[in-house]
Amino acid sequence: MLYRLKDAGYEAHLVGGGVRDLLLGREPKDFDVATDAHPGQIKAVFRNCRLIGRRFRLAHVHFGREIIEVATFRAQHSGDDAGGITEEGRIIRDNVYGTVEDDAVRRDFTVNALYYNIKDFSVVDYAGGMEDLEAGMLRLIGDPEVRYREDAVRMLRAVRFAAKLGFRIHPEAEAPIFELGHLLQEIAPARLFEEVLKLFMGGSAVQSYELLSHYNLLQYLFPQTAALLESDQHGFFHALILRAMENTDARIAAGKPVTPAFLYAVLMWMPMQQRAKVLRSDGMTEVQSICEAGGEVLAEQSRCVVFPKRFSLQTREIWQLQPRLKRTTGKGPLRLLAHPRFRAAYDFLLLRAEAGETHQPLCDWWTEFQLENPEVIAQAAQRAALNKRPRRRPRKKPAADKPAGGSGASE
Ligand code: ATP
Ligand code: MG
């Protein structure tokens, strides 16, 4: 890949998280390539290449199921040239080509600005990233406050990398986070959802959650959750979330699947319950109130962080099955076993018991009941497998991950 560009006479560097993770001895999630070839020239070198992005053209080079993102070196706007930056200092356009040095200084952290040069197998370090990598330090390139104002998502990225790599955020990069968190309110809700997924489904959910709380950032991602955590006198809600995050990390470490639907069921559980209680005092039944409150709190949540319908429907099902799990007589239990969301609802019930919200004997009853009815479980699993058709075109990342602005710096 890199050689094809080099042989065509261009500079080609591996850059970003791929280089960082390789140097740390971790398995990189994906690879990004930076080059001095322009998009049209990249396309001429690779037949299996598609150009994407309107504001900033990127090339996606396909290798079977893999997609490698190839971007032309970019330069930072200087601020007064043709208004690439808003009055508040936020980047809105990011489409000026530059040299590899220009490309390095517009990146976020020094450890993310290391370039692996294919020509001589050297690591090129324009920002002091090697030293920070060895020290386990996240240092922003340039003035931290300016860089957060350009793109507030960098605060979430600081938290995410600190959680994932176990690095410290440099004091100078850390201090402004307490002041500037509110800037996240101006970030597109779809982009925030992608960040939430990376924070909580990247294997370091516990750390991410604790750091988000520490830096008072949770209120900008999950305002209703953060508000209830404030008044969570017995620490029950906090315990529930923590257990869920621990489970999520353990599942990821074991290679088991995780879904944001479950995570949201946990994070939004108390807000939903609180609203449902009000609705019940107005005369609704328990089932109705959960249905209605679930819709309301998730709609409210979606205003700051988009939560796609395919997940929110599942979250609501997990909630709606909770009262049904209380009934252990009649035909209900058998029918419930066959429900596509039974397993998630049962796992959720276990969590609630661990956090002290419901009784362990009820969980034990369901555990036993499943063991007694293996054929029902097997049938349900079979049906689920049939419904899950493989996607035709695998993507490297969800579409909203890198909106037209390339590596995310321009949203
Ligand atoms: P991950 O392991 O999660 O993929 P990453 O560092 O590769 O981490 P990406 O989102 O894939 O993160 O971005 C690739 C690179 O693009 C980063 O390493 C960084 O150099 C640059 N980048 C991404 N987002 C931003 C941003 N908001 N501001 C500045 N540079 C960014
Ligand atoms: Mg990456």
Side-chain angles (χ1 to χ4, degrees), residues 15-18 20-21 28-30 32 69 74 103-104 106-109 111-115 147 150-151 153-154 157 160-161 164 191 195 198 396-397 401-402 406-410:
V15 68
R20 178 196 68 217
D21 291 349
K29 218 176 53 193
D30 50 49
D32 294 304
E69 197 167 279
R74 267 183 281 176
D103 195 76
R106 71 163 190 94
R107 291 181 183 271
D108 47 6
F109 299 96
V111 295
N112 284 348
L114 295 167
Y115 294 71
R147 302 306 311 279
E150 281 171 1
D151 181 5
V153 168
R154 288 171 185 153
R157 290 175 60 85
R160 173 157 67 90
F161 294 131
K164 176 172 120 171
R191 188 170 173 217
E195 288 303 320
K198 291 186 194 166
K396 184 177 86 163
K397 296 170 186 172
D401 184 20
K402 296 194 172 178
S407 28
S410 63

mmCIF file of all heavy atoms in Angstrom, residues 15-18 20-21 28-30 32 69 74 103-104 106-109 111-115 147 150-151 153-154 157 160-161 164 191 195 198 396-397 401-402 406-410, ligand 1:
data_model
loop_
_atom_site.group_PDB
_atom_site.id
_atom_site.type_symbol
_atom_site.label_atom_id
_atom_site.label_comp_id
_atom_site.label_asym_id
_atom_site.label_seq_id
_atom_site.Cartn_x
_atom_site.Cartn_y
_atom_site.Cartn_z
ATOM 1 N N VAL A 15 0.328 7.173 9.765
ATOM 2 C CA VAL A 15 0.215 8.246 10.745
ATOM 3 C C VAL A 15 -0.931 7.981 11.723
ATOM 4 O O VAL A 15 -1.755 7.094 11.499
ATOM 5 C CB VAL A 15 0.015 9.593 10.020
ATOM 6 C CG1 VAL A 15 -1.342 9.647 9.332
ATOM 7 C CG2 VAL A 15 0.199 10.763 10.952
ATOM 8 N N GLY A 16 -0.942 8.753 12.795
ATOM 9 C CA GLY A 16 -2.082 8.703 13.721
ATOM 10 C C GLY A 16 -2.011 7.540 14.695
ATOM 11 O O GLY A 16 -0.928 7.070 15.047
ATOM 12 N N GLY A 17 -3.196 7.082 15.090
ATOM 13 C CA GLY A 17 -3.288 6.040 16.113
ATOM 14 C C GLY A 17 -2.558 4.756 15.748
ATOM 15 O O GLY A 17 -2.077 4.049 16.628
ATOM 16 N N GLY A 18 -2.477 4.463 14.456
ATOM 17 C CA GLY A 18 -1.800 3.235 14.017
ATOM 18 C C GLY A 18 -0.336 3.221 14.434
ATOM 19 O O GLY A 18 0.158 2.229 14.994
ATOM 20 N N ARG A 20 1.083 5.227 16.700
ATOM 21 C CA ARG A 20 1.119 5.317 18.169
ATOM 22 C C ARG A 20 0.965 3.938 18.803
ATOM 23 O O ARG A 20 1.768 3.536 19.647
ATOM 24 C CB ARG A 20 -0.027 6.246 18.618
ATOM 25 C CG ARG A 20 -0.168 6.428 20.108
ATOM 26 C CD ARG A 20 -1.537 7.013 20.434
ATOM 27 N NE ARG A 20 -2.595 6.051 20.131
ATOM 28 C CZ ARG A 20 -3.783 6.357 19.633
ATOM 29 N NH1 ARG A 20 -4.096 7.607 19.374
ATOM 30 N NH2 ARG A 20 -4.671 5.399 19.397
ATOM 31 N N ASP A 21 -0.054 3.207 18.363
ATOM 32 C CA ASP A 21 -0.323 1.915 18.973
ATOM 33 C C ASP A 21 0.782 0.897 18.665
ATOM 34 O O ASP A 21 1.148 0.092 19.520
ATOM 35 C CB ASP A 21 -1.695 1.395 18.528
ATOM 36 C CG ASP A 21 -2.832 2.235 19.114
ATOM 37 O OD1 ASP A 21 -2.549 3.052 20.007
ATOM 38 O OD2 ASP A 21 -3.982 2.066 18.676
ATOM 39 N N PRO A 28 -2.991 -2.016 16.555
ATOM 40 C CA PRO A 28 -3.708 -0.839 16.042
ATOM 41 C C PRO A 28 -5.107 -1.215 15.559
ATOM 42 O O PRO A 28 -5.324 -2.318 15.065
ATOM 43 C CB PRO A 28 -2.861 -0.389 14.850
ATOM 44 C CG PRO A 28 -1.570 -1.088 14.975
ATOM 45 C CD PRO A 28 -1.840 -2.355 15.718
ATOM 46 N N LYS A 29 -6.043 -0.278 15.747
ATOM 47 C CA LYS A 29 -7.422 -0.510 15.343
ATOM 48 C C LYS A 29 -7.538 -0.356 13.830
ATOM 49 O O LYS A 29 -8.252 -1.076 13.172
ATOM 50 C CB LYS A 29 -8.311 0.513 16.043
ATOM 51 C CG LYS A 29 -9.630 -0.019 16.494
ATOM 52 C CD LYS A 29 -10.369 1.065 17.266
ATOM 53 C CE LYS A 29 -10.451 2.336 16.448
ATOM 54 N NZ LYS A 29 -10.861 3.521 17.133
ATOM 55 N N ASP A 30 -6.862 0.641 13.307
ATOM 56 C CA ASP A 30 -6.914 0.888 11.870
ATOM 57 C C ASP A 30 -5.680 1.693 11.474
ATOM 58 O O ASP A 30 -4.942 2.168 12.333
ATOM 59 C CB ASP A 30 -8.192 1.636 11.482
ATOM 60 C CG ASP A 30 -8.403 2.863 12.347
ATOM 61 O OD1 ASP A 30 -7.450 3.657 12.515
ATOM 62 O OD2 ASP A 30 -9.509 3.035 12.866
ATOM 63 N N ASP A 32 -4.089 4.857 9.090
ATOM 64 C CA ASP A 32 -4.299 6.023 8.247
ATOM 65 C C ASP A 32 -2.996 6.329 7.544
ATOM 66 O O ASP A 32 -1.913 6.178 8.111
ATOM 67 C CB ASP A 32 -4.725 7.230 9.088
ATOM 68 C CG ASP A 32 -6.092 7.012 9.723
ATOM 69 O OD1 ASP A 32 -7.047 6.742 8.962
ATOM 70 O OD2 ASP A 32 -6.197 7.074 10.951
ATOM 71 N N GLU A 69 -7.578 4.595 4.928
ATOM 72 C CA GLU A 69 -7.893 5.972 4.612
ATOM 73 C C GLU A 69 -6.619 6.702 4.223
ATOM 74 O O GLU A 69 -5.650 6.712 4.981
ATOM 75 C CB GLU A 69 -8.511 6.620 5.843
ATOM 76 C CG GLU A 69 -9.243 7.881 5.535
ATOM 77 C CD GLU A 69 -10.096 8.287 6.722
ATOM 78 O OE1 GLU A 69 -11.189 7.743 6.875
ATOM 79 O OE2 GLU A 69 -9.628 9.123 7.488
ATOM 80 N N ARG A 74 -2.389 18.174 5.023
ATOM 81 C CA ARG A 74 -3.195 19.377 5.146
ATOM 82 C C ARG A 74 -2.500 20.415 5.991
ATOM 83 O O ARG A 74 -1.685 20.083 6.841
ATOM 84 C CB ARG A 74 -4.525 19.043 5.815
ATOM 85 C CG ARG A 74 -5.590 18.741 4.815
ATOM 86 C CD ARG A 74 -6.873 18.508 5.535
ATOM 87 N NE ARG A 74 -6.931 17.173 6.117
ATOM 88 C CZ ARG A 74 -7.946 16.769 6.875
ATOM 89 N NH1 ARG A 74 -8.927 17.587 7.152
ATOM 90 N NH2 ARG A 74 -7.963 15.552 7.351
ATOM 91 N N ASP A 103 0.953 19.303 8.209
ATOM 92 C CA ASP A 103 0.012 18.237 8.538
ATOM 93 C C ASP A 103 0.180 17.822 10.003
ATOM 94 O O ASP A 103 -0.806 17.542 10.694
ATOM 95 C CB ASP A 103 0.277 17.041 7.620
ATOM 96 C CG ASP A 103 -0.876 16.051 7.639
ATOM 97 O OD1 ASP A 103 -1.913 16.337 7.023
ATOM 98 O OD2 ASP A 103 -0.736 15.005 8.292
ATOM 99 N N ALA A 104 1.415 17.821 10.463
ATOM 100 C CA ALA A 104 1.685 17.389 11.842
ATOM 101 C C ALA A 104 1.100 18.365 12.852
ATOM 102 O O ALA A 104 0.453 17.938 13.815
ATOM 103 C CB ALA A 104 3.193 17.238 12.056
ATOM 104 N N ARG A 106 -1.393 20.349 12.788
ATOM 105 C CA ARG A 106 -2.847 20.505 12.918
ATOM 106 C C ARG A 106 -3.471 19.290 13.605
ATOM 107 O O ARG A 106 -4.648 19.261 13.886
ATOM 108 C CB ARG A 106 -3.504 20.761 11.567
ATOM 109 C CG ARG A 106 -3.487 19.576 10.740
ATOM 110 C CD ARG A 106 -4.385 19.503 9.561
ATOM 111 N NE ARG A 106 -4.252 18.124 9.152
ATOM 112 C CZ ARG A 106 -5.060 17.164 9.541
ATOM 113 N NH1 ARG A 106 -6.106 17.433 10.261
ATOM 114 N NH2 ARG A 106 -4.821 15.918 9.208
ATOM 115 N N ARG A 107 -2.671 18.286 13.912
ATOM 116 C CA ARG A 107 -3.204 17.116 14.630
ATOM 117 C C ARG A 107 -3.408 17.445 16.100
ATOM 118 O O ARG A 107 -2.967 18.488 16.561
ATOM 119 C CB ARG A 107 -2.273 15.921 14.426
ATOM 120 C CG ARG A 107 -2.345 15.452 12.986
ATOM 121 C CD ARG A 107 -1.500 14.276 12.663
ATOM 122 N NE ARG A 107 -1.629 14.018 11.236
ATOM 123 C CZ ARG A 107 -2.559 13.225 10.685
ATOM 124 N NH1 ARG A 107 -3.415 12.586 11.453
ATOM 125 N NH2 ARG A 107 -2.634 13.079 9.387
ATOM 126 N N ASP A 108 -4.067 16.566 16.834
ATOM 127 C CA ASP A 108 -4.420 16.944 18.204
ATOM 128 C C ASP A 108 -3.277 16.748 19.205
ATOM 129 O O ASP A 108 -2.716 17.714 19.718
ATOM 130 C CB ASP A 108 -5.713 16.263 18.668
ATOM 131 C CG ASP A 108 -5.765 14.759 18.379
ATOM 132 O OD1 ASP A 108 -4.747 14.212 17.919
ATOM 133 O OD2 ASP A 108 -6.815 14.143 18.638
ATOM 134 N N PHE A 109 -2.911 15.510 19.487
ATOM 135 C CA PHE A 109 -1.897 15.265 20.511
ATOM 136 C C PHE A 109 -0.549 14.924 19.874
ATOM 137 O O PHE A 109 -0.502 14.358 18.781
ATOM 138 C CB PHE A 109 -2.357 14.141 21.444
ATOM 139 C CG PHE A 109 -3.626 14.490 22.144
ATOM 140 C CD1 PHE A 109 -4.855 14.075 21.647
ATOM 141 C CD2 PHE A 109 -3.601 15.297 23.275
ATOM 142 C CE1 PHE A 109 -6.038 14.451 22.269
ATOM 143 C CE2 PHE A 109 -4.772 15.671 23.902
ATOM 144 C CZ PHE A 109 -5.994 15.254 23.400
ATOM 145 N N VAL A 111 1.444 12.627 20.534
ATOM 146 C CA VAL A 111 1.608 11.188 20.285
ATOM 147 C C VAL A 111 0.795 10.712 19.085
ATOM 148 O O VAL A 111 0.968 9.590 18.621
ATOM 149 C CB VAL A 111 1.229 10.337 21.522
ATOM 150 C CG1 VAL A 111 2.183 10.619 22.679
ATOM 151 C CG2 VAL A 111 -0.210 10.584 21.938
ATOM 152 N N ASN A 112 -0.112 11.569 18.607
ATOM 153 C CA ASN A 112 -0.879 11.228 17.413
ATOM 154 C C ASN A 112 -0.268 11.845 16.158
ATOM 155 O O ASN A 112 -0.851 11.763 15.082
ATOM 156 C CB ASN A 112 -2.327 11.734 17.542
ATOM 157 C CG ASN A 112 -3.154 10.871 18.465
ATOM 158 O OD1 ASN A 112 -2.729 9.786 18.824
ATOM 159 N ND2 ASN A 112 -4.318 11.351 18.849
ATOM 160 N N ALA A 113 0.856 12.503 16.310
ATOM 161 C CA ALA A 113 1.461 13.204 15.179
ATOM 162 C C ALA A 113 2.817 12.588 14.830
ATOM 163 O O ALA A 113 3.746 13.283 14.455
ATOM 164 C CB ALA A 113 1.599 14.691 15.497
ATOM 165 N N LEU A 114 2.921 11.292 14.995
ATOM 166 C CA LEU A 114 4.141 10.588 14.608
ATOM 167 C C LEU A 114 3.928 9.976 13.229
ATOM 168 O O LEU A 114 2.883 9.379 12.968
ATOM 169 C CB LEU A 114 4.453 9.493 15.629
ATOM 170 C CG LEU A 114 4.794 10.008 17.028
ATOM 171 C CD1 LEU A 114 4.769 8.869 18.041
ATOM 172 C CD2 LEU A 114 6.157 10.686 17.014
ATOM 173 N N TYR A 115 4.926 10.133 12.377
ATOM 174 C CA TYR A 115 4.804 9.639 10.996
ATOM 175 C C TYR A 115 5.838 8.547 10.767
ATOM 176 O O TYR A 115 7.019 8.733 11.052
ATOM 177 C CB TYR A 115 5.055 10.780 9.994
ATOM 178 C CG TYR A 115 4.004 11.846 10.042
ATOM 179 C CD1 TYR A 115 3.914 12.710 11.132
ATOM 180 C CD2 TYR A 115 3.091 11.992 9.011
ATOM 181 C CE1 TYR A 115 2.936 13.679 11.195
ATOM 182 C CE2 TYR A 115 2.115 12.973 9.056
ATOM 183 C CZ TYR A 115 2.054 13.799 10.147
ATOM 184 O OH TYR A 115 1.080 14.762 10.207
ATOM 185 N N ARG A 147 -6.855 25.110 20.877
ATOM 186 C CA ARG A 147 -7.155 23.843 20.187
ATOM 187 C C ARG A 147 -8.519 23.276 20.599
ATOM 188 O O ARG A 147 -9.212 22.681 19.803
ATOM 189 C CB ARG A 147 -6.058 22.807 20.464
ATOM 190 C CG ARG A 147 -4.639 23.213 20.063
ATOM 191 C CD ARG A 147 -4.462 23.659 18.630
ATOM 192 N NE ARG A 147 -4.995 22.840 17.570
ATOM 193 C CZ ARG A 147 -4.435 21.755 17.045
ATOM 194 N NH1 ARG A 147 -3.291 21.329 17.504
ATOM 195 N NH2 ARG A 147 -5.001 21.113 16.050
ATOM 196 N N GLU A 150 -11.169 25.354 18.832
ATOM 197 C CA GLU A 150 -11.280 24.953 17.421
ATOM 198 C C GLU A 150 -12.168 23.726 17.279
ATOM 199 O O GLU A 150 -12.955 23.615 16.360
ATOM 200 C CB GLU A 150 -9.903 24.549 16.871
ATOM 201 C CG GLU A 150 -8.997 25.668 16.496
ATOM 202 C CD GLU A 150 -7.589 25.145 16.179
ATOM 203 O OE1 GLU A 150 -7.348 23.908 16.231
ATOM 204 O OE2 GLU A 150 -6.732 25.973 15.881
ATOM 205 N N ASP A 151 -12.011 22.806 18.210
ATOM 206 C CA ASP A 151 -12.756 21.551 18.124
ATOM 207 C C ASP A 151 -12.879 20.956 19.524
ATOM 208 O O ASP A 151 -11.934 20.370 20.054
ATOM 209 C CB ASP A 151 -12.026 20.580 17.193
ATOM 210 C CG ASP A 151 -12.780 19.264 17.049
ATOM 211 O OD1 ASP A 151 -13.894 19.152 17.591
ATOM 212 O OD2 ASP A 151 -12.249 18.348 16.398
ATOM 213 N N VAL A 153 -14.350 18.449 20.588
ATOM 214 C CA VAL A 153 -14.282 16.983 20.692
ATOM 215 C C VAL A 153 -12.894 16.548 21.175
ATOM 216 O O VAL A 153 -12.729 15.462 21.729
ATOM 217 C CB VAL A 153 -14.652 16.332 19.340
ATOM 218 C CG1 VAL A 153 -14.314 14.857 19.320
ATOM 219 C CG2 VAL A 153 -16.144 16.522 19.072
ATOM 220 N N ARG A 154 -11.912 17.415 20.999
ATOM 221 C CA ARG A 154 -10.562 17.063 21.468
ATOM 222 C C ARG A 154 -10.547 16.818 22.982
ATOM 223 O O ARG A 154 -9.706 16.064 23.474
ATOM 224 C CB ARG A 154 -9.580 18.174 21.085
ATOM 225 C CG ARG A 154 -9.306 18.177 19.586
ATOM 226 C CD ARG A 154 -8.511 19.375 19.123
ATOM 227 N NE ARG A 154 -8.401 19.353 17.657
ATOM 228 C CZ ARG A 154 -8.251 20.432 16.903
ATOM 229 N NH1 ARG A 154 -8.189 21.625 17.458
ATOM 230 N NH2 ARG A 154 -8.159 20.320 15.597
ATOM 231 N N ARG A 157 -11.536 13.336 23.276
ATOM 232 C CA ARG A 157 -10.432 12.498 22.803
ATOM 233 C C ARG A 157 -9.342 12.400 23.873
ATOM 234 O O ARG A 157 -8.737 11.340 24.062
ATOM 235 C CB ARG A 157 -9.872 13.041 21.482
ATOM 236 C CG ARG A 157 -10.859 12.856 20.308
ATOM 237 C CD ARG A 157 -10.378 13.502 19.026
ATOM 238 N NE ARG A 157 -9.107 13.009 18.520
ATOM 239 C CZ ARG A 157 -8.949 11.939 17.742
ATOM 240 N NH1 ARG A 157 -9.996 11.236 17.376
ATOM 241 N NH2 ARG A 157 -7.756 11.580 17.333
ATOM 242 N N ARG A 160 -10.580 9.916 26.282
ATOM 243 C CA ARG A 160 -10.576 8.574 25.703
ATOM 244 C C ARG A 160 -9.167 7.986 25.642
ATOM 245 O O ARG A 160 -8.953 6.842 26.026
ATOM 246 C CB ARG A 160 -11.176 8.610 24.298
ATOM 247 C CG ARG A 160 -11.060 7.303 23.556
ATOM 248 C CD ARG A 160 -12.101 7.189 22.478
ATOM 249 N NE ARG A 160 -11.922 8.123 21.394
ATOM 250 C CZ ARG A 160 -11.199 7.856 20.305
ATOM 251 N NH1 ARG A 160 -10.583 6.705 20.205
ATOM 252 N NH2 ARG A 160 -11.086 8.740 19.343
ATOM 253 N N PHE A 161 -8.211 8.772 25.200
ATOM 254 C CA PHE A 161 -6.848 8.239 25.110
ATOM 255 C C PHE A 161 -6.264 8.026 26.507
ATOM 256 O O PHE A 161 -5.529 7.069 26.738
ATOM 257 C CB PHE A 161 -5.950 9.159 24.280
ATOM 258 C CG PHE A 161 -6.354 9.236 22.830
ATOM 259 C CD1 PHE A 161 -6.488 10.453 22.182
ATOM 260 C CD2 PHE A 161 -6.623 8.080 22.101
ATOM 261 C CE1 PHE A 161 -6.874 10.518 20.849
ATOM 262 C CE2 PHE A 161 -7.002 8.136 20.775
ATOM 263 C CZ PHE A 161 -7.134 9.361 20.140
ATOM 264 N N LYS A 164 -7.848 4.794 27.610
ATOM 265 C CA LYS A 164 -7.451 3.616 26.850
ATOM 266 C C LYS A 164 -5.967 3.287 27.007
ATOM 267 O O LYS A 164 -5.589 2.126 27.154
ATOM 268 C CB LYS A 164 -7.783 3.860 25.370
ATOM 269 C CG LYS A 164 -7.348 2.757 24.427
ATOM 270 C CD LYS A 164 -7.896 2.991 23.026
ATOM 271 C CE LYS A 164 -6.762 3.125 22.035
ATOM 272 N NZ LYS A 164 -7.196 3.132 20.633
ATOM 273 N N ARG A 191 -22.001 13.333 15.644
ATOM 274 C CA ARG A 191 -20.578 13.140 15.891
ATOM 275 C C ARG A 191 -20.346 12.727 17.347
ATOM 276 O O ARG A 191 -19.490 11.888 17.642
ATOM 277 C CB ARG A 191 -19.830 14.435 15.572
ATOM 278 C CG ARG A 191 -18.330 14.249 15.627
ATOM 279 C CD ARG A 191 -17.570 15.434 15.087
ATOM 280 N NE ARG A 191 -16.146 15.263 15.321
ATOM 281 C CZ ARG A 191 -15.330 16.249 15.637
ATOM 282 N NH1 ARG A 191 -15.787 17.486 15.724
ATOM 283 N NH2 ARG A 191 -14.057 16.011 15.842
ATOM 284 N N GLU A 195 -18.393 9.438 19.261
ATOM 285 C CA GLU A 195 -17.421 9.551 20.352
ATOM 286 C C GLU A 195 -17.866 8.735 21.562
ATOM 287 O O GLU A 195 -17.049 8.099 22.225
ATOM 288 C CB GLU A 195 -17.216 11.014 20.755
ATOM 289 C CG GLU A 195 -16.442 11.836 19.730
ATOM 290 C CD GLU A 195 -15.057 11.263 19.411
ATOM 291 O OE1 GLU A 195 -14.353 10.782 20.324
ATOM 292 O OE2 GLU A 195 -14.684 11.289 18.217
ATOM 293 N N LYS A 198 -16.995 5.201 21.037
ATOM 294 C CA LYS A 198 -15.564 4.934 21.220
ATOM 295 C C LYS A 198 -15.174 4.981 22.693
ATOM 296 O O LYS A 198 -14.307 4.239 23.146
ATOM 297 C CB LYS A 198 -14.738 5.939 20.433
ATOM 298 C CG LYS A 198 -14.862 5.759 18.926
ATOM 299 C CD LYS A 198 -13.916 6.694 18.240
ATOM 300 C CE LYS A 198 -14.203 6.815 16.762
ATOM 301 N NZ LYS A 198 -13.498 7.966 16.186
ATOM 302 N N LYS A 396 -15.031 0.424 7.432
ATOM 303 C CA LYS A 396 -13.999 0.491 8.438
ATOM 304 C C LYS A 396 -14.563 1.100 9.714
ATOM 305 O O LYS A 396 -14.326 0.641 10.807
ATOM 306 C CB LYS A 396 -12.844 1.347 7.943
ATOM 307 C CG LYS A 396 -11.661 1.388 8.899
ATOM 308 C CD LYS A 396 -10.502 2.183 8.338
ATOM 309 C CE LYS A 396 -10.641 3.653 8.650
ATOM 310 N NZ LYS A 396 -9.417 4.415 8.502
ATOM 311 N N LYS A 397 -15.343 2.164 9.532
ATOM 312 C CA LYS A 397 -15.903 2.855 10.683
ATOM 313 C C LYS A 397 -17.320 3.272 10.343
ATOM 314 O O LYS A 397 -17.669 3.366 9.190
ATOM 315 C CB LYS A 397 -15.100 4.127 10.972
ATOM 316 C CG LYS A 397 -13.677 3.843 11.354
ATOM 317 C CD LYS A 397 -12.910 5.134 11.390
ATOM 318 C CE LYS A 397 -11.454 4.852 11.635
ATOM 319 N NZ LYS A 397 -10.627 6.010 11.496
ATOM 320 N N ASP A 401 -18.495 8.829 11.640
ATOM 321 C CA ASP A 401 -17.244 8.957 12.366
ATOM 322 C C ASP A 401 -16.413 10.121 11.863
ATOM 323 O O ASP A 401 -15.938 10.945 12.614
ATOM 324 C CB ASP A 401 -16.446 7.665 12.201
ATOM 325 C CG ASP A 401 -15.179 7.676 13.009
ATOM 326 O OD1 ASP A 401 -15.127 8.484 13.954
ATOM 327 O OD2 ASP A 401 -14.276 6.898 12.707
ATOM 328 N N LYS A 402 -16.254 10.146 10.562
ATOM 329 C CA LYS A 402 -15.426 11.193 9.995
ATOM 330 C C LYS A 402 -16.233 11.964 8.970
ATOM 331 O O LYS A 402 -16.152 11.713 7.788
ATOM 332 C CB LYS A 402 -14.186 10.596 9.362
ATOM 333 C CG LYS A 402 -13.348 9.941 10.437
ATOM 334 C CD LYS A 402 -11.983 9.640 9.952
ATOM 335 C CE LYS A 402 -11.131 9.165 11.123
ATOM 336 N NZ LYS A 402 -9.807 8.801 10.745
ATOM 337 N N GLY A 406 -12.685 14.768 7.025
ATOM 338 C CA GLY A 406 -11.487 13.951 7.133
ATOM 339 C C GLY A 406 -11.296 13.427 8.526
ATOM 340 O O GLY A 406 -12.206 12.858 9.097
ATOM 341 N N SER A 407 -10.149 13.659 9.110
ATOM 342 C CA SER A 407 -9.871 13.012 10.383
ATOM 343 C C SER A 407 -10.610 13.685 11.523
ATOM 344 O O SER A 407 -10.206 13.607 12.667
ATOM 345 C CB SER A 407 -8.383 12.966 10.632
ATOM 346 O OG SER A 407 -7.740 14.019 10.004
ATOM 347 N N GLY A 408 -11.664 14.360 11.210
ATOM 348 C CA GLY A 408 -12.550 14.800 12.265
ATOM 349 C C GLY A 408 -12.266 16.197 12.784
ATOM 350 O O GLY A 408 -12.987 16.720 13.616
ATOM 351 N N ALA A 409 -11.225 16.801 12.282
ATOM 352 C CA ALA A 409 -10.813 18.068 12.859
ATOM 353 C C ALA A 409 -11.735 19.216 12.458
ATOM 354 O O ALA A 409 -11.672 20.276 13.031
ATOM 355 C CB ALA A 409 -9.393 18.396 12.428
ATOM 356 N N SER A 410 -12.596 18.989 11.470
ATOM 357 C CA SER A 410 -13.289 20.146 10.916
ATOM 358 C C SER A 410 -14.758 20.186 11.227
ATOM 359 O O SER A 410 -15.472 21.014 10.723
ATOM 360 C CB SER A 410 -13.105 20.154 9.410
ATOM 361 O OG SER A 410 -13.710 18.987 8.888
HETATM 362 P P1 ATP B 1 -7.975 5.325 17.387
HETATM 363 O O1 ATP B 1 -7.085 4.340 18.012
HETATM 364 O O2 ATP B 1 -9.198 5.551 18.179
HETATM 365 O O3 ATP B 1 -8.252 5.117 15.930
HETATM 366 P P2 ATP B 1 -6.611 7.639 16.401
HETATM 367 O O4 ATP B 1 -5.583 8.501 17.057
HETATM 368 O O5 ATP B 1 -6.193 6.870 15.188
HETATM 369 O O6 ATP B 1 -7.179 6.699 17.525
HETATM 370 P P3 ATP B 1 -8.619 8.741 14.709
HETATM 371 O O7 ATP B 1 -9.939 9.346 15.082
HETATM 372 O O8 ATP B 1 -8.591 7.492 13.931
HETATM 373 O O9 ATP B 1 -7.832 8.558 16.076
HETATM 374 O O10 ATP B 1 -7.820 9.887 13.959
HETATM 375 C C1 ATP B 1 -6.601 9.640 13.272
HETATM 376 C C2 ATP B 1 -5.657 10.792 13.485
HETATM 377 O O11 ATP B 1 -6.215 12.012 12.966
HETATM 378 C C3 ATP B 1 -5.331 11.106 14.934
HETATM 379 O O12 ATP B 1 -4.293 10.308 15.431
HETATM 380 C C4 ATP B 1 -4.932 12.563 14.872
HETATM 381 O O13 ATP B 1 -3.624 12.707 14.406
HETATM 382 C C5 ATP B 1 -5.875 13.106 13.799
HETATM 383 N N1 ATP B 1 -7.125 13.643 14.380
HETATM 384 C C6 ATP B 1 -8.282 12.984 14.545
HETATM 385 N N2 ATP B 1 -9.223 13.758 15.104
HETATM 386 C C7 ATP B 1 -8.656 14.947 15.300
HETATM 387 C C8 ATP B 1 -9.109 16.187 15.843
HETATM 388 N N3 ATP B 1 -10.362 16.330 16.303
HETATM 389 N N4 ATP B 1 -8.234 17.223 15.875
HETATM 390 C C9 ATP B 1 -6.976 17.087 15.403
HETATM 391 N N5 ATP B 1 -6.490 15.949 14.906
HETATM 392 C C10 ATP B 1 -7.305 14.893 14.836
#
